[in-house]
Amino acid sequence: MTENEKGRQEKRRTVPARCPPVPSGPPLRPGWRRESFAVRVVTPMFGGGPRPGENDPVTLVRGASVRGHLRFWWRATRGAGYRDAKALYEREGAIWGTTKTPSRVTVQVKVLDEGRRVPVSRGHPCAYVLFPFLQQEMRGTQGHVGVVFDLTLEYKEGLREDVMAALWAWVNFGGIGARTRLGCGALFCEALSAPAAAVPQDVRDWYASSQGEYGWEPPAEPAAWPTLPPPDWLVVGSGGGREPERAWAEVVRVLQEFRQGGAPDRRGRRQGRSVGSSGRRPLWPEGRALRAGRLGGRPKSGRAEDLPPGFPRAELGLPIVLRGGERPKTLEPGGGRKRMASPVILKPLVLSSGKALPIALRLRTESLDGVRLGETEYGPESIRNPAFARDARSPLHGRTKTGSALEAFMVFARERLEKGGKRS
């Protein structure tokens, strides 16, 4: 073996004493900032993957899904300051990108803990809002809770308020996956959470201070897209913090009582106090509208105190399957649309301590101006009518002057969550 061959062999066998450190990521581009946040999923998450309602078996939390949520919450916060949809679209594209221009914000997700699986059954405390997963075609669906992921955002200098406003709103009032407005996939990020020992007014003060910190204001009039409302629209449960899933169950129960009158027991029987002052099951006019076959005039019973036919619950989200005629019918938004997301958000707001308070938040949106039942379209008078609130058995009675189920629900939620069931 020649000296050159011996030297090459020794060189190949040389191993450094220490391995070089693993790079933390690509170098930061000039003029960009990077921030990371630890986020935890505190209620069962359903979906968030490429197939609706199903958790991605490879990546539980996808960067593309997070980006979509951040864009929505940017429109709901900083986007509220734009005059019209065209101005909003131009600014949104400049920040978050379009099909023709790259985004000035990059989103990276690293799942640190996949949490645990949660089966869905009719005995679940929040089964009332999980009903899509109890249908035959979704039977056996499982959610994930306790998922922990690291979220890293890189963005151009000068965009911090835009990025942080969206992130703050998403982790506190949004979620990941399906049915986030009803509390599924709720999130906790300690760096952006409300104070640990919060009471309802403390939470509203924190909400107001966050508006100033991230530079956004609720619009004076509803925009053409959903926006966050003023602080006094936020309803917060009293009584101190509790476990997130317990807080979630409390606010779900409020919705169920308003719409149906008491939570069912294990045999499906109604129990508890009705929202009507007479103590009977609440009176809603949708079934009457189905039986009458038209709106206007008196119902078949002919009693003057009965509610006129109408669809007030349409304000709480569509579609709705109505039963009361010969066969179930689906109530949909007017104008050819198929769906209308509820403007009400119900979820646990997790405090910096890890405990939570139940909250109800009404997004500011344009009023629903019509619905469709079969081939028939109905106008706004079928949705909001002062006559809906005149009967003492109606959940709207004494809670709204316009006959709006949306207004009445927020009053009812405040009674149940903040006032211990007492009317204001």
Side-chain angles (χ1 to χ4, degrees):
M1 181 181 294
T2 66
E3 291 296 327
N4 288 340
E5 290 173 339
K6 185 182 292 185
R8 284 197 298 269
Q9 187 175 20
E10 290 176 354
K11 186 176 181 180
R12 283 197 302 269
R13 291 175 180 174
T14 301
V15 178
R18 293 183 180 179
C19 293
V22 178
S24 59
L28 195 61
R29 290 168 282 186
W32 284 64
R33 295 187 60 167
R34 177 185 293 150
E35 294 191 66
S36 295
F37 303 87
V39 184
R40 179 160 55 92
V41 181
V42 298
T43 60
M45 174 184 73
F46 301 92
R51 300 182 63 179
E54 294 185 18
N55 295 339
D56 190 326
V58 178
T59 308
L60 279 174
V61 181
R62 300 167 67 240
S65 297
V66 173
R67 175 181 293 278
H69 287 292
L70 292 178
R71 291 185 76 134
F72 172 87
W73 288 107
W74 177 86
R75 292 192 294 269
T77 52
R78 297 275 291 183
Y82 290 88
R83 302 181 306 277
D84 52 45
K86 183 176 184 296
L88 175 84
Y89 176 79
E90 291 175 353
R91 182 57 179 164
E92 181 181 342
I95 297 172
W96 302 96
T98 67
T99 55
K100 297 180 180 179
T101 58
S103 173
R104 296 187 191 181
V105 182
T106 66
V107 178
Q108 300 174 35
V109 174
K110 182 180 180 181
V111 176
L112 306 176
D113 187 339
E114 295 189 353
R116 67 182 190 279
R117 291 180 178 271
V118 180
V120 178
S121 68
R122 297 190 184 277
H124 192 283
C126 297
Y128 181 69
V129 298
L130 299 177
F131 70 89
F133 309 118
L134 296 171
Q135 305 300 315
Q136 185 64 41
E137 60 274 15
M138 297 289 286
R139 195 70 56 81
T141 297
Q142 291 187 328
H144 274 80
V145 70
V147 179
V148 179
F149 61 94
D150 182 78
L151 175 64
T152 300
L153 301 174
E154 292 184 9
Y155 52 88
K156 289 278 286 186
E157 291 283 1
L159 294 181
R160 190 173 193 278
E161 285 188 335
D162 292 284
V163 172
M164 293 305 297
L167 180 62
W168 169 83
W170 176 55
V171 299
N172 288 295
F173 305 111
I176 190 74
R179 301 186 74 74
T180 58
R181 294 196 186 184
L182 291 172
C184 296
L187 304 171
F188 169 54
C189 177
E190 185 176 1
L192 299 168
S193 60
V199 296
Q201 190 54 50
D202 289 340
V203 174
R204 284 188 278 270
D205 291 343
W206 161 79
Y207 183 102
S209 68
S210 298
Q211 287 181 242
E213 182 178 354
Y214 304 127
W216 65 275
E217 288 290 336
E221 297 294 332
W225 56 92
T227 60
L228 278 177
D232 57 352
W233 285 30
L234 178 61
V235 176
V236 185
S238 58
R242 46 280 228 183
E243 292 302 315
E245 292 204 47
R246 179 186 164 196
W248 181 35
E250 284 183 41
V251 73
V252 166
R253 191 178 306 116
V254 170
L255 176 66
Q256 185 171 10
E257 288 181 357
F258 181 76
R259 295 186 64 128
Q260 296 187 347
D265 61 18
R266 291 183 177 180
R267 297 182 180 179
R269 297 175 300 190
R270 293 284 152 204
Q271 59 182 356
R273 179 171 49 186
S274 171
V275 298
S277 60
S278 66
R280 300 175 184 174
R281 186 169 178 173
L283 190 65
W284 290 100
E286 287 93 342
R288 184 170 289 102
L290 283 178
R291 290 189 293 272
R294 61 183 181 85
L295 298 181
R298 292 184 178 181
K300 287 185 176 181
S301 69
R303 296 186 308 180
E305 70 271 21
D306 279 344
L307 303 182
F311 309 102
R313 280 182 284 188
E315 282 194 308
L316 299 176
L318 292 169
I320 300 174
V321 177
L322 298 176
R323 294 173 173 82
E326 294 180 358
R327 63 182 64 178
K329 294 185 178 180
T330 301
L331 186 69
E332 299 175 329
R337 293 181 295 160
K338 293 293 185 182
R339 302 188 63 83
M340 185 202 79
S342 173
V344 176
I345 293 172
L346 307 174
K347 69 185 299 289
L349 177 70
V350 189
L351 312 176
S352 58
S353 63
K355 299 294 185 180
L357 295 174
I359 65 166
L361 177 69
R362 174 185 171 184
L363 294 173
R364 174 164 270 178
T365 59
E366 293 181 326
S367 298
L368 180 64
D369 58 4
V371 292
R372 183 178 71 258
L373 189 65
E375 300 299 322
T376 307
E377 297 260 354
Y378 299 101
E381 70 283 351
S382 71
I383 303 167
R384 294 171 298 279
N385 186 336
F388 295 157
R390 70 189 178 198
D391 193 298
R393 292 170 293 168
S394 169
L396 312 187
H397 182 71
R399 297 185 176 98
T400 173
K401 294 181 179 179
T402 64
S404 165
L406 194 53
E407 291 177 4
F409 174 73
M410 295 308 295
V411 173
F412 179 74
R414 197 175 296 274
E415 292 168 4
R416 287 294 190 266
L417 294 177
E418 294 190 11
K419 300 179 182 296
K422 299 178 182 178
R423 284 187 179 242
S424 54

